Amino acid sequence: MTCLSKIQLLSHPLFDSHKVQVWVKRDDSIHAIISGNKWRKLKFNLAHLKQQSGIKGALSFGGSYSNHIHAFAFACFQQGIPCIGVIRGEADYANNFTLTWAQYWGMKLHFVDRKTYRRRHDADFIAELQAQFPNYFIIPEGGSNELAIPGVAEVMSELKQQTQFDTLMTPVGSGGTLAGLITGDKENYDIEHKLLGIAVLKGADYLIDEISGLLPSAIQQHRNWQVLTNFHRGGYAKFSHQDAQRIMEFNQTTGVDFEPVYSGKMVLALLDLLEQGYFTKGERIVLLHTGGMQGLGGMIERDMLNAEDWPAPQRIAKGTMLTTDF
């Protein structure tokens, strides 16, 4: 299945004053639920799963408000694949905004404490899960593995049809999206673009090795990319009232909604970098909107954001069922 998400030129006084052009690649509009990088990462993972004989279902990992878990649950529901979510936290979270939807679409939840969850990449823990849930295909946290790369790489082939640009910015959580963009840039262009990943969590220098490890061996020396690790705003899912206000004002000015955990941190990094003189006059910048708008539901639920200021996602109502195809 192919996709061509639209690209939109943004208007903002700061762009005019610094004489740059900024577009947003609207991957948030790919699908009503499985939007952004989750759509692209799951695409080939689930196609691969369906080609394997003897596979009973799929298992993946995430926090209790995870965009990946939300998208993964719906994608499996649409394709008739039983799925299990290994969730960091307590069973009390089962009734929150994100996990209520995940269960509604048929996901079985398996809660683990934070110490156990930190083992999610360890071979012995994966073996334990494989024994506990035999014949389940295991997809890493965030969907970031080798199968995710070609799906994300398609962003670059789409951009080749849509616009010319110098710099592409993306939020970075687990690293799969940036690895896919690096791969797609090498595959589709003779020139090198500057690819900037904005880490959304604290202490993210390790992501450089994670991203390099996801790259095909032929392009592991491709060095037109960088992960900026000082724009995390305090850590994963952390942001100040001022941060939220700046994102909200940007949303109102541009007419495009961004959320404060992923895409909004990219927006704030863009604004800060402009003020610091990072970009050259005339530079053409593309922001990759990686979706994740469902996360607003949990933030509003926890009174982290005011529902009147943000586009609140749909809550479950009696008889509700979204049937957009994946």
Side-chain angles (χ1 to χ4, degrees), residues 172-175 199-201 203-212 225 227:
V172 176
S174 55
V200 301
L201 63 161
D205 290 330
Y206 73 92
L207 284 171
I208 295 171
D209 289 337
E210 295 282 333
I211 293 163
S212 295
W225 58 276
V227 180

Side-chain angles (χ1 to χ4, degrees), residues 50-294:
K50 293 169 74 172
Q51 293 171 359
Q52 306 305 303
S53 61
I55 295 295
K56 180 180 178 180
L59 177 151
S60 196
F61 308 81
S64 55
Y65 292 94
S66 166
N67 292 321
H68 170 67
I69 287 294
H70 185 266
F72 173 61
F74 187 80
C76 289
F77 161 73
Q78 283 288 4
Q79 299 201 25
I81 300 169
C83 68
I84 295 168
V86 177
I87 309 299
R88 181 189 67 243
E90 306 298 327
D92 293 346
Y93 291 130
N95 294 321
N96 74 19
F97 177 87
T98 299
L99 297 183
T100 299
W101 274 115
Q103 292 172 95
Y104 188 72
W105 295 319
M107 174 177 279
K108 304 300 182 185
L109 305 180
H110 178 70
F111 288 94
V112 296
D113 59 35
R114 292 179 181 274
K115 181 179 179 181
T116 302
Y117 191 81
R118 284 195 288 271
R119 299 174 57 211
R120 63 195 179 279
H121 302 301
D122 296 349
D124 59 342
F125 182 55
I126 297 299
E128 290 173 17
L129 288 172
Q130 203 73 79
Q132 187 173 359
F133 305 106
N135 302 317
Y136 270 74
F137 180 70
I138 296 179
I139 299 174
E141 180 184 50
S144 292
N145 58 9
E146 291 182 359
L147 291 168
I149 302 306
V152 179
E154 291 177 352
V155 169
M156 304 308 287
S157 58
E158 293 173 20
L159 282 173
K160 191 172 185 179
Q161 303 173 49
Q162 293 173 317
T163 193
Q164 294 182 336
F165 66 98
D166 304 300
T167 299
L168 176 63
M169 296 180 67
T170 183
V172 176
S174 55
T177 297
L178 184 53
L181 296 175
I182 297 163
T183 302
D185 193 54
K186 186 65 173 178
E187 290 174 346
N188 288 281
Y189 292 93
D190 295 326
I191 62 169
E192 285 192 350
H193 297 99
K194 182 164 49 179
L195 306 180
L196 286 182
I198 305 302
V200 301
L201 63 161
K202 188 185 292 187
D205 290 330
Y206 73 92
L207 284 171
I208 295 171
D209 289 337
E210 295 282 333
I211 293 163
S212 295
L214 287 169
L215 295 174
S217 57
I219 64 169
Q220 285 186 352
Q221 301 306 311
H222 199 46
R223 290 302 178 190
N224 63 326
W225 58 276
Q226 185 179 7
V227 180
L228 303 183
T229 59
N230 57 337
F231 294 99
H232 53 73
R233 309 288 160 179
Y236 180 70
K238 294 184 179 179
F239 53 88
S240 67
H241 173 75
Q242 182 184 18
D243 291 336
Q245 187 68 27
R246 289 178 70 200
I247 296 167
M248 187 175 65
E249 290 171 356
F250 186 88
N251 293 350
Q252 293 169 347
T253 300
T254 62
V256 179
D257 288 320
F258 297 85
E259 46 69 51
V261 175
Y262 287 96
S263 58
K265 290 187 178 181
M266 171 184 64
V267 164
L268 295 179
L270 169 69
L271 300 179
D272 289 347
L273 289 169
L274 282 169
E275 295 284 18
Q276 295 167 15
Y278 179 89
F279 299 104
T280 60
K281 188 180 297 185
E283 194 157 344
R284 300 163 298 180
I285 305 162
V286 173
L287 307 177
L288 179 61
H289 195 318
T290 55
M293 300 303 288
Q294 75 83 28

Side-chain angles (χ1 to χ4, degrees), residues 16-80:
D16 296 333
S17 64
H18 288 273
K19 295 181 171 52
V20 297
Q21 291 181 299
V22 180
W23 288 264
V24 58
K25 175 73 166 159
R26 295 292 306 275
D27 269 17
D28 60 306
S29 63
I30 288 177
H31 187 279
I33 300 168
I34 320 167
S35 68
N37 57 351
K38 306 312 175 195
W39 192 98
R40 295 186 186 274
K41 290 179 181 180
L42 287 169
K43 175 181 175 181
F44 288 107
N45 266 287
L46 295 187
H48 174 79
L49 178 156
K50 293 169 74 172
Q51 293 171 359
Q52 306 305 303
S53 61
I55 295 295
K56 180 180 178 180
L59 177 151
S60 196
F61 308 81
S64 55
Y65 292 94
S66 166
N67 292 321
H68 170 67
I69 287 294
H70 185 266
F72 173 61
F74 187 80
C76 289
F77 161 73
Q78 283 288 4
Q79 299 201 25

